[in-house]
Amino acid sequence: MIESLDIANLGVIASAHVEIGGGLVVVTGETGAGKTMVLSSLQLLLGARADAALVRSGADRLSVDGIFSVTEEVAARVEEAGGVVEGGELIVGRSVRAAGRSRAHLGSRPVPASALSEIVGSMVTIHGQADQVRLTGEAAQRRALDQFGGTAHAVLVKEYREAFRAAVDAKHRLDALLGDASEREEELEDLRAALAQIEALDPQVGEEEELVREASRLTNVEDLRALMGVAQGFLKGDDRGDFSGAVESARSAYAQLDDASRFDEAVAELAGRARSQALELDALADDIAVYLSRLDADPERLAQIHARRAAIKDVLRGRAADVESLLTWADDARARVDELSAPASDPEVVERELAAAQSLVLDVGARLTKARTRLARELAAGVNEELHALAMPDATLDIDLEATKPTSHGCETVVFRLQPHPHAPARPLGQGASGGELSRVMLALELMLGRTEASSTFIFDEIDAGIGGQTATEVGARLKRLAASRQVIVVTHLAQVAAFGNQHLVIEKTDGTTSVREVIGAEREAELTRMMGGDPHSQAARRHASRVLASAVSQSQG
């Protein structure tokens, strides 16, 4: 569980300290206030790739420190890595210099960022709208189904994978023995040369996409500067004062409406909306200014990017479509090199080994298929029950197992199909499902998988997008239920969801600087009022917020 965070010089956050409690923790704030930066700080502690662009303008480095309460198992892993855990608390730190260098600390010991991912990442699961896209992939759906099976099913999955790899190894060895010796030597030479090239380049998963984005920014830096400058002018006005800009106009409109509200209470709601828009425009102008301050041409870096992309493209050619597949290819290539370098074996013996290994694959695969069939039925039934409560009363999720030849993952393909209502066809997730529907499917799955998930903390980043009304209340109630056995942190724009929180954190931006604070009592009612579009100073709006909060408390106790 995450107990506290200390953030310094991360994006719009100059300095922030926040104590985080157990149960359901909700994080709210105006759009553009910096909620993304708080999530970025957590991702850094989980071993995410360091990005110097996150360093606050004018600062030489950013730092994030977190205190986690850990289990004895995690504490043992930390101590194996040389770290210290005192009183069940683990201190995790990450710093990134503006020059680009990153450092990580685990239990007061310097460690590579990968150690944070392996140890701290096992305690925290982050889900955002990007995860909804990944949920549409077959691999993610298969992992979700297997996760639902818990520890006992994981043992069966591991048994199958080991059996399949043994069969593949036997097939490779037999092919090598039956092949021509000169062909084997040529293959060995080619594999070693390819592996040397890959190891020298050391490509990283996701690097290609990051290079493309960075190259696009650097190539178009002048156009970006011009366009962003014009946009800033429309918001802030010109330096001569000939044009006041949208920010000043919005403020003036708010002032007039606020003055008019003295004569008609009906205008108060309009004044509140105008104030929100003025604040949002001001925040947008500040963000554009920050972006412009960091926008510099760097021809040398651009040349390095082009050279790096060319080298990656060259090493991928004929081997893989992307870096992740290339690294898998490299692992297989190393195994193949070991086989080709090993002493010769008797082909007849290897043939018998291969036959036995293939038979074992089919046997374990049949048991795995049977187990997945049962799990698919149980998981679909549970998800459907949750979907019906989440304002999708006619929706049906089917989990189909389509038989295939044996692969490293099993003898079937797992396909999640959603039928929104009885008159619509059941289609694979991602083909016709709206963002709101995917959000609810994701939440329903998490509620079902929560019973087997090892993470002690779940973080949901605006997965409630595209929903509202009673559905939002149901989402809040279910997140509260999920939080009964673990820490759940939710970034939300919905007051109906926020009302269920055991703790309410507000992200606020003032004069370009973001702060984080906990709200309780009247301050929490004011924040819920703002989230519902009301005037925090209006007694009627505050009473409505109070009723929403009381209703959430009542449902939680029920």
Side-chain angles (χ1 to χ4, degrees), residues 153-176:
H153 184 74
V155 171
L156 179 57
V157 172
K158 181 180 179 181
E159 182 183 356
Y160 175 83
R161 288 176 178 168
E162 291 175 348
F164 185 83
R165 176 159 291 281
V168 171
D169 290 345
K171 181 66 167 60
H172 285 169
R173 285 189 288 118
L174 182 60
D175 290 344

Side-chain angles (χ1 to χ4, degrees), residues 21-33:
L24 181 59
V25 180
V26 296
V27 181
T28 66
E30 296 275 8
T31 300

Side-chain angles (χ1 to χ4, degrees), residues 132 392 418 420 430-441 465-466:
Q132 298 172 16
M392 294 178 68
L418 181 66
Q431 297 183 16
S434 67
E437 288 171 339
L438 280 177
S439 294
R440 281 174 276 183
V441 171

Side-chain angles (χ1 to χ4, degrees), residues 448-510:
M448 293 302 299
L449 298 178
R451 65 186 68 174
T452 56
E453 172 63 59
S455 297
S456 60
T457 297
F458 278 175
I459 299 175
F460 292 98
D461 182 22
E462 298 184 4
I463 67 157
D464 50 17
I467 62 176
Q470 183 59 33
T471 304
T473 301
E474 294 292 346
V475 168
R478 275 152 176 76
L479 287 171
K480 182 79 168 185
R481 193 178 79 192
L482 183 61
S485 58
R486 68 199 68 225
Q487 183 185 52
V488 177
I489 301 174
V490 181
V491 179
T492 181
H493 287 293
L494 299 178
Q496 299 96 318
V497 173
F500 280 89
N502 299 100
Q503 182 183 28
H504 192 151
L505 303 177
V506 175
I507 313 296
E508 293 179 320
K509 189 174 185 181
T510 305

Side-chain angles (χ1 to χ4, degrees), residues 287-413:
D287 290 342
I288 290 175
V290 171
Y291 181 87
L292 279 169
S293 70
R294 297 176 179 170
L295 196 59
D296 294 315
D298 191 346
E300 182 179 347
R301 174 56 182 162
L302 184 59
Q304 292 174 351
I305 290 173
H306 288 321
R308 179 71 176 176
R309 290 182 63 193
I312 292 175
K313 184 177 181 180
D314 181 61
V315 79
L316 288 174
R317 187 176 293 113
R319 300 188 183 103
D322 53 38
V323 170
E324 185 174 8
S325 301
L326 178 68
L327 297 179
T328 300
W329 182 93
D331 289 338
D332 294 338
R334 293 186 186 94
R336 179 64 172 156
V337 167
D338 291 341
E339 293 174 13
L340 293 174
S341 304
S345 301
D346 184 349
E348 292 184 0
V349 173
V350 179
E351 282 183 0
R352 290 194 294 271
E353 289 180 3
L354 176 59
Q358 291 174 333
S359 177
L360 181 61
V361 167
L362 294 176
D363 175 63
V364 180
R367 289 191 281 123
L368 180 58
T369 299
K370 183 178 179 180
R372 282 176 171 166
T373 301
R374 174 182 57 80
L375 291 174
R377 186 169 55 251
E378 294 176 1
L379 179 57
V383 168
N384 288 331
E385 183 179 345
E386 295 295 339
L387 289 178
H388 296 166
L390 292 171
M392 294 178 68
D394 300 319
T396 301
L397 179 75
D398 293 318
I399 303 178
D400 297 332
L401 304 183
E402 300 176 352
T404 65
K405 67 178 183 180
T407 69
S408 61
H409 303 297
C411 300
E412 61 279 322
T413 298

